[in-house]
């Protein structure tokens, strides 16, 4: 008999520095020996971001992803934000199986609402360090979309762009990929175009034979973006060269890059200007502090771990 996938859910406020009690709680529930064997964990950071700087926002996301990743790299984590006034995650993601909440009454209320929506009931876990998943009625006051009220201060001239693009290999989605995609989804209002490097360009990489197929990588990115922001049009593009259609599409407005890939964004803009196209606004994710373990979270390292486990 196949084991049912265990998909956990937590909700708490964004914090620039994660509270140690919260960190140890996360480490406990994510630890592979805990017997809980979570397959996925959805975390909903439901709160006001207006006083958080862009760099602090990126650092906050990255640290939270790393806490989970360092406990078990096999847990697929997704950190969600209150975007688009979309439904509360517990009422739009039927796959969630388990919540840690502030008590039975709260959990029963969620299960009543999920039953009305024809969704399976949740398993309720105690032991959260403080009120995590709020009781349903409180949560149903739809938070204003983060875009209009409480987005982290943008590192650019505008706080939103109709079409945003970004690119990468996206083999075995890891914290670095997820921060990149989250920033893209945060600042795009209509379309997120994601360039995904074709396997033919990856042959020189270490453990190249273990790189996931184009279809698998594109599906993982699509699913991640749809969980973050269902209203966004997701447009995947297979990259056979580093720039793809970013150098020819007049209807793109911004590109998300990291400090390490900033030069690639500048090259794209040089080529756009040579074709009389407006340059893309560069949204640059800072080098995230405390990442002495960056080497550990590369796709190459994950392929290496998979080799070791087989």
């Amino acid at each position: 008999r196949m084991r049912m996938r265990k998909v956990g859910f937590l909700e708490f406020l964004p914090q620039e520095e994660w509270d140690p009690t919260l960190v140890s709680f996360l480490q406990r529930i994510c630890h592979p020996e805990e017997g809980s064997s979570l397959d996925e964990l959805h975390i909903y950071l439901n709160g006001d971001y207006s006083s958080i700087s862009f760099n602090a926002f990126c650092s906050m996301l990255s640290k939270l992803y790393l806490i989970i990743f360092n406990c078990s790299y096999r847990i697929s984590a997704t950190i969600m934000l209150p975007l688009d006034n979309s439904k509360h995650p517990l009422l739009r993601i039927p796959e969630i199986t388990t919540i840690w909440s502030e008590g039975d009454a709260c959990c029963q209320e969620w299960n009543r609402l999920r039953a009305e929506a024809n969704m399976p009931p949740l398993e309720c876990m105690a032991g959260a360090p403080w009120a995590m998943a709020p009781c349903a009625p409180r949560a149903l006051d739809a938070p204003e979309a983060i875009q209009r009220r409480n987005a982290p201060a943008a590192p650019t001239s505008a706080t939103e762009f109709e079409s945003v693009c970004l690119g990468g290999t996206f083999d075995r989605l890891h914290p670095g990929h997820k921060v990149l995609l989250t920033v893209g989804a945060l600042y795009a209002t209509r379309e997120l175009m994601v360039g995904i490097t074709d396997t033919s360009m990856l042959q020189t990489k270490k453990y190249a034979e273990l790189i996931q197929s184009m279809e698998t990588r594109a599906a993982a990115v699509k699913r991640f973006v749809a969980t973050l922001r269902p209203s966004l049009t997701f447009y995947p593009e297979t990259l056979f060269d580093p720039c793809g259609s970013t150098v020819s599409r007049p209807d793109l407005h911004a590109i998300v890059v990291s400090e390490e890939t900033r030069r690639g964004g500048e090259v794209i803009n040089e080529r756009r200007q040579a074709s009389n196209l407006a340059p893309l606004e560069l949204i640059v994710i800072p080098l995230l502090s405390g990442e002495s373990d960056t080497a550990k979270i590369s796709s190459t390292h994950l392929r290496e771990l998979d080799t070791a486990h087989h």
Side-chain angles (χ1 to χ4, degrees):
R1 238 184 70 159
M2 269 184 68
R3 184 178 74 82
M4 197 175 108
R5 283 180 74 72
K6 186 164 180 175
V7 181
F9 176 85
L10 295 168
E11 175 170 343
F12 40 87
L13 292 167
Q15 301 168 4
E16 289 200 36
E17 286 303 324
W18 294 110
D19 181 291
T21 359
L22 177 61
V23 173
S24 55
F25 172 74
L26 277 172
Q27 287 168 334
R28 184 169 63 75
I29 67 166
C30 293
H31 201 277
E33 273 78 73
E34 178 61 15
S36 65
S37 50
L38 273 176
D39 296 289
E40 291 179 44
L41 181 60
H42 291 290
I43 294 179
Y44 188 37
L45 296 184
N46 192 0
D48 185 357
Y49 290 79
S50 54
S51 62
I52 299 178
S53 73
F54 177 74
N55 286 10
F57 170 76
C58 293
S59 169
M60 171 187 87
L61 277 187
S62 179
K63 284 175 183 163
L64 193 51
Y65 271 125
L66 283 171
I67 291 164
I68 299 161
F69 183 87
N70 288 334
C71 284
S72 170
Y73 80 97
R74 292 187 179 281
I75 293 175
S76 166
T78 305
I79 298 170
M80 294 174 286
L81 316 168
L83 293 166
D84 287 345
N85 295 332
S86 53
K87 276 184 181 167
H88 189 282
L90 288 177
L91 299 180
R92 71 177 170 86
I93 305 173
E95 294 81 7
I96 294 170
T97 60
T98 307
I99 63 169
W100 284 263
S101 74
E102 55 188 52
D104 284 350
C106 177
C107 196
Q108 284 162 10
E109 181 60 13
W110 275 120
N111 278 336
R112 186 183 65 74
L113 289 165
R114 277 176 66 102
E116 284 172 11
N118 292 322
M119 293 167 96
L122 299 160
E123 170 193 26
C124 304
M125 305 293 281
W130 64 82
M132 288 232 181
C135 287
R138 227 177 36 229
L140 290 178
D141 304 333
E144 272 197 47
I146 194 170
Q147 238 67 19
R148 282 178 284 287
R149 176 176 66 98
N150 58 5
T156 53
S157 57
T159 50
E160 51 185 39
F161 304 90
E162 201 177 321
S163 286
V164 174
C165 60
L166 52 93
T169 304
F170 301 108
D171 179 40
R172 294 163 173 75
L173 279 191
H174 60 59
H177 296 143
K178 289 174 181 180
V179 173
L180 190 73
L181 290 164
T182 302
V183 169
L186 177 65
Y187 289 108
T189 56
R190 183 179 62 82
E191 176 197 39
L192 182 62
M193 180 177 110
V194 179
I196 304 169
T197 313
D198 186 66
T199 320
S200 61
M201 285 177 66
L202 303 172
Q203 295 313 308
T204 57
K205 285 191 178 277
K206 212 172 164 190
Y207 306 109
E209 70 284 359
L210 294 178
I211 291 173
Q212 293 170 324
S213 72
M214 186 68 202
E215 294 68 29
T216 301
R217 291 180 284 135
V221 173
K222 180 180 182 176
R223 181 171 179 241
F224 183 78
V225 172
T227 304
L228 283 183
R229 193 147 188 209
S231 67
L232 212 54
T233 300
F234 168 69
Y235 178 74
E237 179 183 4
T238 304
L239 294 180
F240 297 99
D241 66 74
C243 300
S245 66
T246 56
V247 292
S248 57
R249 271 188 61 176
D251 60 339
L252 291 175
H253 305 101
I255 183 167
V256 185
V257 291
S258 62
E259 280 294 355
E260 299 96 315
T261 59
R262 177 199 280 261
R263 181 67 197 124
E266 290 166 353
V267 168
I268 286 169
N269 276 341
E270 287 159 16
R271 290 186 53 187
R272 285 177 71 87
Q273 282 170 312
S275 309
N276 293 324
L277 290 174
L280 301 174
E281 184 87 53
L282 296 188
I283 302 174
V284 184
I285 294 175
L287 279 171
L288 300 163
S289 59
E291 284 197 8
S292 50
D293 34 4
T294 309
K296 286 210 324 228
I297 58 167
S298 68
S299 298
T300 307
H301 179 68
L302 290 177
R303 291 195 291 276
E304 199 171 342
L305 287 172
D306 280 348
T307 315
H309 279 105
H310 286 312

